[in-house]
Structure formats: structure tokens, C-alpha cells
């Protein structure tokens, strides 16, 4: 109690100093004010029973330090409490191991079971750590009926105790100040429940006072309750009844309380761990396919997610038609954003479905990759399956009148090579990315899809893997040209990925063979032969247009210094 402050004493829950165990105390019984070393007590007019001081019924009195007054059947004494608890060394210190706890029989099992049934709703219903601590302390006071006070405590650097939340049955007892020695012993040293008993004999009965009169306490660690070592601190006084009919008179009762608190701590720790893992998985789920999350394990070994150099296949998928639609739908940008989000969802769905990792969104483009956090010999094949899935989804949308994605198309670049892949961020929010020339190459390939008139392009390394490992029943490849992208030093042999014949009968295998013959002629400088071969392709095939344009510009004759490489004028 602070000097000069006014406190209402009564049985009501909203009283400043609550005495819920005494039926003879009114809901609002008396008003208390500390002035110097004197407590001024004034009975509230609505109180049914008087205040007793020195054996006399009074409406008001002044109680000096060390003297007591009575309300109902409860005697209260004014004492001065030091700013820090001065506790002698415990006359008994006990630590508990699982074998000992198994031999202890629960006291009051019906009440404890009823309390445990509410534990899950206490945990799940808490909207913040502070609310969890408050609700947990209240629940523990219901479950440990011998306790005067319960607190959630943390050990800070082994020399300071932080009380995150505490409650006392007797508000007149003042603020709870846990034993630093006990907290440190339980949370830092033994990392298990520790019981301290100070100066009471079992069976000794005393009345509640306004001072700190607690002679036993135990502390039980709870894993994951806070970043620092934390646990439940439970304390009370031997021989005192806080709940009618529940006086603590023997050590076995305390042992049962410790066992119950251990059970609560075990359940609470397991649920908090599950919640933490679920939050982590929720953050990772947007990046990783379910098989990768499963391989990471329930404990989420995030060391596997640290950045490392590895062989990866990168897919870069860009949405076509976005800029034009943005101009046309300037008055409905929210609607356009929803459509773009849906299109990006198609891309990420296919990436994840085929075991890939999703990286950053770059405007209306999505980045995905394979080969990290686990090596994959068929990374390029999986990337191609995802690309064909994206192409099929957009093709289907285009055939449905009024579909939100009907007027969107896409371009995809796929490249394979060395890169650095890994996570950046915090434990709660993880961002995954991939760095390296192979990422830039995938982006450049995607930009070439416009010029080369082919929706899915691969570099030479990815194409080599796909030719060896991918069945024609899944997808087909054809070489387009060897090109030198603007700003790059090394030319790239570019190939197009096509659906299988069953899904794309417009181009037969014979057509693809003729096309590659034309590419061979083109590369070798035999442009007249190249022209005739490419001119035999179906008119609907747009990829031929790029090579025919090169040939026609030069009058069907290769330049004198022709080296088989098409140098692109810009990005």
C-alpha cells in the first residue's frame, strides 16, 4: 500500500483489497488510507458488519504499525515491508525428478482435472503474451488451492527476476517479490522444479496480514514461455486457509502441488512449441512445397535454410498484358490487383506443387527455384513440369469467356547453374531468395520470349538435363538459336519447351525435326536451306518468325563474318 492512497477493502472482485474467503465481509466494507506509520480505517456505510479494533466495534479507527483490526472473521495487521524481500536461507530445499513425481499422488484430483480442461482455452484464447500470463496465473490459483500467490517469472542474466504477471488471493499482502535464489536455482541451475521452505513448521496456523508472510515457494520452468528462462512461481504459508477446507498441513500436499504444476508446465510448453512451429511453418509454407517442409522435420531445423552455394534451376515467370490492362482499368485498380494476384497464385501453385521454392514477387512476375535446401538431380525437369502447368492453366483460362485471366498471357525463362540460396529475416518472418548469374539469365530468357515468339525458353544447361531425363510424354524441346543477349559476354543456346504431342498436336514430332534442321542450317550459314526448312512449318508456329526475319533481312545470305550467333540489340 502506498502512503496517501485510498483503498477499498471488501469481498467484491473490483475492490482494491479483496477478501473473497470471508462471508461476513461486505462487498465494500471499509476504506483504508496509510498516513505515515498509521493506517486510517473507515467503515463504509453500506457495510453490514462493523470494524473491530481492540475488541470494540467501531466505524473508524487508526491502526499503528504492528497492531491489527478485524473485519468479519479476518484479522489484518499493519506491517512495514522492505523494498526487497529479506529471506533467510531455506531450511529445506527440494528438487524433483520425473521418477519422484510419478510416485506422488494427486490431492483434490477432481478440481485439478477440471482446471486442466480449461488449459487449452486459456492458451488458445490469449491474444498476446501478457494476456496468456494473466489467464495462466488465474488458472493456477484455481488449481493450487494452497497457494497465496502465483506469478509468471523470468530470470534475466541470472541475477534479476522479472515478474511478468502475478496475482494474490489476499490483495492485502502487497506486491509479490519472488526469491531470486529460488528462481535462479529452478530456471538456470537445475532447470526443473525446486521447492524452498523457510521458517514454518507444518501445521502452524497464522492469520493473514498486510505484510509479506510467505514461508514456502516453488518454481517450475516452462519451455517457450518467453525468450528468457521462465516459469511459474507458486508461494503460500503453512497452516493458512485461502480456500475454505483446504488448509496446507503436510508436505505431501505441497509435493502434489508441485506435480500438478509440472503437468501444467509440460502441457503448456508442448502447446507453445506447437504454436511456435505452426507460426514458423505458416511463414515458410508460402515458400516451400509440403514435401520440403516435411523433410525439414517437426523441429524445423532452420540451419538447413542458411544461405549456401548450390546447383539450382531457376524459373522466372512474367505476366503479359498487365501494363495495358493497368491503363485500361485505371478506375478499378483494386479489381486489377485481384486478377494479378490470382495469376501469381497460378504460378506459385505450380512451383510448389512440383517441389519448388518460391522467391520474391517482382511486380507482376514470380520467381521460383529447385535444388535448395536439398540437392535435386531432376531440378530442371521439375521446373519444366511447373512451367507446362502454368502454360496449361493460362491456355485454359483463355478459352473461357469472361474468365479473370482470359486476356493475360505469360512468358517463362528457365536456367540452371550455381547460385547462393537461403533465408533472410527473423525466426517469426522468413524471406527466401536466390542470388547469382543464373537468376539474371532466367530473367533474360523470359524477356526473350517476346522476341523469339516462344512462351517458355530454356538455357543450354537446363535443356541438356531435360533432354536426358524428361519423357516426351511430359514435354518436348526444340532448339531455337544461339544468341548473345545485350550486355552479356557469353552466348546462350536457347531452346523452347513445348507440351507433349497429346496436348499440342498442332506441332508434330516431324515438325520439330524439320525446325531443328532449319536451325542447323541457319547456324552453319546455309540460310537458303534454312529458309526452305523453316518455311515448311505450320503458319501458326510463331517461333519460325524470328529466324525467318533474320534470314530475310540479309536476303537469305549469311553475313561474311557469320559465327552462328544472333546478337540481340537490347534487353
Amino acid at each position: 500500500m502506498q502512503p496517501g492512497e485510498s483503498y477499498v477493502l471488501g469481498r467484491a472482485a473490483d475492490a482494491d483489497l479483496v477478501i473473497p474467503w470471508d462471508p461476513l465481509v461486505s462487498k465494500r466494507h471499509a476504506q483504508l488510507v496509510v498516513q505515515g506509520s498509521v493506517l486510517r480505517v473507515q467503515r463504509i456505510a453500506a457495510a453490514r458488519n462493523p470494524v473491530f479494533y481492540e475488541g470494540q466495534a467501531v466505524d473508524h479507527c487508526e491502526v499503528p504499525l504492528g497492531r491489527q483490526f478485524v473485519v468479519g472473521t479476518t484479522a489484518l495487521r499493519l506491517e512495514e515491508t522492505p523494498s526487497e524481500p529479506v529471506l533467510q536461507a531455506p531450511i529445506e530445499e527440494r528438487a524433483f525428478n520425473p521418477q519422484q513425481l510419478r510416485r506422488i499422488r494427486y490431492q483434490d484430483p477432481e478440481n485439478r482435472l477440471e482446471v486442466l480442461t480449461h488449459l487449452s482455452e486459456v492458451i488458445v484464447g490469449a491474444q498476446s503474451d501478457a494476456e496468456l500470463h494473466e489467464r495462466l496465473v488465474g488458472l493456477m490459483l484455481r488449481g493450487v488451492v494452497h497457494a497465496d500467490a502465483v506469478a509468471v517469472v523470468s530470470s534475466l542474466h541470472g541475477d534479476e527476476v522479472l515478474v511478468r504477471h502475478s496475482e494474490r488471493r489476499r490483495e492485502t499482502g502487497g506486491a509479490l517479490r519472488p526469491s531470486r535464489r529460488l528462481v535462479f536455482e529452478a530456471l538456470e541451475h537445475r532447470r526443473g522444479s525446486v521447492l524452498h521452505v523457510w521458517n514454518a513448521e507444518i501445521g502452524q496456523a497464522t492469520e493473514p496480514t498486510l505484510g509479506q508472510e510467505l514461508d514456502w515457494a516453488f518454481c517450475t520452468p516452462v519451455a517457450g514461455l518467453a525468450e528468457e528462462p521462465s516459469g511459474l512461481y507458486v508461494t503460500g504459508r503453512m497452516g493458512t486457509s485461502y480456500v475454505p477446507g483446504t488448509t496446507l498441513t503436510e508436505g505431501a500436499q505441497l509435493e502434489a502441488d508441485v506435480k500438478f504444476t509440472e503437468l501444467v508446465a509440460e502441457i503448456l510448453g508442448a502447446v507453445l512449441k506447437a504454436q511456435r512451429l505452426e507460426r514458423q511453418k505458416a511463414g515458410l509454407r508460402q515458400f516451400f512445397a509440403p514435401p520440403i517442409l516435411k523433410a525439414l522435420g517437426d523441429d524445423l531445423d532452420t540451419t538447413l535454410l542458411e544461405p549456401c552455394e548450390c546447383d539450382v534451376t531457376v524459373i522466372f515467370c512474367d505476366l503479359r498484358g498487365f501494363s495495358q490492362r493497368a491503363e485500361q482499368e485505371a478506375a478499378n485498380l483494386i479489381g486489377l490487383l485481384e486478377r494479378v494476384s490470382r495469376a501469381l497464385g497460378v504460378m506459385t501453385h505450380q512451383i510448389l506443387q512440383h517441389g519448388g521454392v518460391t522467391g520474391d514477387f517482382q511486380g507482376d512476375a514470380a520467381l521460383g527455384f529447385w535444388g535448395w535446401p536439398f540437392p535435386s538431380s531432376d531440378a530442371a525437369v521439375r521446373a519444366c513440369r511447373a512451367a507446362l502447368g502454368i502454360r496449361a492453366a493460362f491456355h485454359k483460362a483463355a478459352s473461357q469467356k469472361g474468365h479473370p485471366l482470359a486476356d493475360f498471357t505469360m512468358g517463362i525463362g528457365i536456367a540452371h547453374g550455381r547460385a547462393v540460396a537461403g533465408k533472410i529475416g527473423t525466426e517469426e518472418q522468413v524471406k527466401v531468395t536466390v542470388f547469382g548469374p543464373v537468376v539474371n539469365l532466367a530473367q533474360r530468357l523470359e524477356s526473350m520470349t517476346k522476341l523469339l515468339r516462344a512462351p517458355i525458353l530454356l538455357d543450354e544447361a537446363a535443356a541438356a538435363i531435360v533432354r536426358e531425363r524428361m519423357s516426351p510424354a511430359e514435354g518436348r524441346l526444340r532448339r531455337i538459336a544461339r544468341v548473345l543477349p545485350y550486355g552479356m559476354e557469353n552466348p546462350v543456346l536457347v531452346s523452347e519447351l513445348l507440351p507433349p504431342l497429346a496436348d499440342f498436336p498442332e506441332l508434330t514430332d516431324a515438325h520439330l525435326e524439320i525446325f531443328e534442321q532449319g536451325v542447323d542450317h541457319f547456324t552453319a550459314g546455309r540460310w537458303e536451306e534454312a529458309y526452305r526448312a523453316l518455311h515448311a512449318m505450320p503458319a501458326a508456329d510463331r517461333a519460325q518468325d524470328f529466324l525467318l526475319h533474320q534470314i530475310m533481312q540479309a536476303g537469305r545470305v549469311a553475313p561474311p563474318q557469320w559465327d552462328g550467333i544472333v546478337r540481340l540489340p537490347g534487353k
Side-chain angles (χ1 to χ4, degrees):
M1 299 177 68
Q2 298 297 320
E5 295 289 334
S6 177
Y7 299 86
V8 173
L9 173 71
R11 193 160 43 84
D14 61 349
D16 299 312
L17 307 174
V18 184
I19 304 180
W21 60 83
D22 193 333
L24 298 180
V25 174
S26 297
K27 292 182 178 180
R28 299 172 64 84
H29 200 107
Q31 189 170 25
L32 313 181
V33 178
V34 176
Q35 293 184 344
S37 60
V38 173
L39 176 67
R40 299 184 182 277
V41 181
Q42 176 68 51
R43 184 178 76 89
I44 294 175
R48 292 181 290 109
N49 295 312
V51 173
F52 290 91
Y53 179 63
E54 294 184 337
Q56 301 294 320
V58 296
D59 288 331
H60 60 85
C61 60
E62 294 185 355
V63 182
L65 283 172
R67 301 297 293 274
Q68 69 179 24
F69 67 98
V70 176
V71 289
T73 61
T74 302
L76 302 121
R77 183 168 61 248
L78 179 65
E79 291 186 355
E80 187 173 11
T81 304
S83 59
E84 289 290 334
V86 180
L87 297 173
Q88 65 186 53
I91 62 172
E92 180 183 355
E93 176 178 290
R94 289 192 58 186
F96 298 83
N97 59 50
Q99 291 76 19
Q100 290 174 314
L101 290 172
R102 277 196 292 269
R103 292 194 294 268
I104 296 172
R105 295 179 61 85
Y106 280 121
Q107 305 283 333
D108 190 18
E110 294 82 4
N111 175 60
R112 298 191 196 272
L113 183 61
E114 196 272 335
V115 168
L116 286 176
T117 60
H118 294 285
L119 182 57
S120 61
E121 64 187 65
V122 164
I123 301 171
V124 175
Q127 300 299 310
S128 64
D129 288 344
E131 184 178 352
L132 172 62
H133 300 158
E134 179 180 355
R135 298 176 69 167
L136 180 61
V137 165
L139 190 71
M140 287 299 299
L141 280 172
R142 289 170 55 189
V144 184
V145 295
H146 305 122
D148 170 77
V150 175
V152 173
V153 297
S154 297
S155 175
L156 305 182
H157 314 297
D159 59 1
E160 182 181 350
V161 175
L162 171 64
V163 178
R164 297 184 179 273
H165 185 77
S166 68
E167 289 184 21
R168 302 191 65 166
R169 297 187 197 277
R170 299 180 301 116
E171 294 293 337
T172 54
L176 177 66
R177 291 178 294 278
S179 163
R180 285 184 292 183
R181 175 175 177 172
L182 172 56
V183 171
F184 177 75
E185 188 71 15
L187 302 185
E188 300 277 5
H189 184 207
R190 298 184 184 273
R191 298 184 180 179
S193 291
V194 176
L195 167 67
H196 279 183
V197 178
W198 282 281
N199 58 5
E201 297 179 0
I202 294 176
Q204 177 183 354
T206 58
E207 73 278 2
T209 73
L210 290 173
Q212 178 111 355
E213 290 195 348
L214 305 172
D215 54 23
W216 64 262
F218 63 83
C219 185
T220 299
V222 179
L225 193 54
E227 291 185 7
E228 301 82 4
S230 302
L232 293 168
Y233 187 93
V234 183
T235 184
R237 185 171 182 83
M238 292 288 189
T240 302
S241 296
Y242 301 114
V243 177
T246 61
T247 304
L248 180 62
T249 59
E250 59 182 32
Q253 293 171 303
L254 264 183
E255 293 174 347
D257 289 338
V258 173
K259 181 175 182 176
F260 172 74
T261 306
E262 282 269 359
L263 179 59
V264 171
E266 183 178 352
I267 296 172
L268 178 60
V271 174
L272 291 175
K273 179 180 179 181
Q275 287 182 332
R276 184 174 66 254
L277 291 175
E278 181 55 34
R279 286 195 300 270
Q280 290 177 330
K281 285 188 175 182
L284 295 175
R285 198 171 287 124
Q286 60 182 310
F287 303 113
F288 296 110
I292 294 180
L293 285 176
K294 183 177 180 181
L296 288 172
D298 291 337
D299 290 331
L300 280 184
D301 183 5
T302 54
T303 59
L304 294 172
L305 306 183
E306 295 301 321
C308 65
E309 187 175 340
C310 52
D311 290 324
V312 297
T313 299
V314 177
I315 184 172
F316 190 83
C317 185
D318 190 27
L319 192 63
R320 300 285 167 74
F322 172 74
S323 299
Q324 180 181 1
R325 298 304 302 176
E327 292 180 5
Q328 296 173 351
E329 300 186 25
N332 184 28
L333 293 180
I334 294 297
L336 178 60
L337 179 61
E338 291 175 353
R339 295 174 61 206
V340 171
S341 298
R342 186 166 178 174
L344 293 173
V346 170
M347 302 173 191
T348 57
H349 171 74
Q350 291 295 330
I351 292 170
L352 295 175
Q353 183 176 352
H354 293 284
V357 179
T358 60
D360 292 336
F361 291 122
Q362 300 184 16
D364 57 346
L367 174 70
F369 56 97
W370 289 256
W372 178 92
F374 304 108
S376 174
S377 59
D378 63 346
V381 175
R382 290 175 176 269
C384 287
R385 289 170 181 158
L388 290 172
I390 295 170
R391 172 176 172 150
F394 277 89
H395 179 74
K396 182 178 180 181
S399 66
Q400 300 176 11
K401 186 177 180 180
H403 193 284
L405 306 183
D407 52 356
F408 285 132
T409 58
M410 53 79 213
I412 297 175
I414 299 174
H416 181 84
R418 298 292 285 179
V420 174
K423 72 176 180 73
I424 58 174
T426 65
E427 181 179 289
E428 297 296 332
Q429 185 174 9
V430 178
K431 184 177 181 180
V432 173
T433 190
V434 60
F435 300 97
V438 66
V439 180
N440 181 52
L441 180 55
Q443 291 176 306
R444 300 297 288 274
L445 287 167
E446 183 281 318
S447 67
M448 289 184 219
T449 59
K450 303 175 186 177
L451 183 63
L452 274 59
R453 311 293 178 88
I456 306 175
L457 294 179
L458 280 68
D459 76 333
E460 189 170 359
I465 297 173
V466 174
R467 289 183 189 277
E468 178 184 348
R469 297 177 180 270
M470 192 174 197
S471 165
E474 291 187 277
R476 299 174 292 169
L477 287 178
R478 64 170 168 180
R479 288 176 288 113
I480 298 291
R482 186 176 293 277
V483 302
L484 181 63
Y486 178 82
M488 295 182 65
E489 297 181 358
N490 299 315
V492 181
L493 178 59
V494 178
S495 297
E496 181 187 9
L497 175 66
L498 294 162
L501 179 61
D503 297 335
F504 194 55
E506 294 90 337
L507 285 181
T508 66
D509 291 344
H511 287 140
L512 299 187
E513 185 176 349
I514 292 171
F515 186 92
E516 289 207 332
Q517 289 173 0
V519 172
D520 290 338
H521 289 312
F522 178 81
T523 303
R526 300 185 296 270
W527 283 20
E528 182 63 39
E529 291 88 338
Y531 176 81
R532 288 196 297 269
L534 295 171
H535 209 63
M537 293 294 294
D541 179 36
R542 301 298 304 277
Q544 62 176 310
D545 294 348
F546 171 73
L547 295 180
L548 286 173
H549 177 73
Q550 303 293 320
I551 294 170
M552 295 299 292
Q553 271 193 325
R556 302 187 188 178
V557 178
Q561 304 299 322
W562 174 247
D563 58 2
I565 300 172
V566 179
R567 289 163 175 80
L568 302 181
K571 293 185 178 182

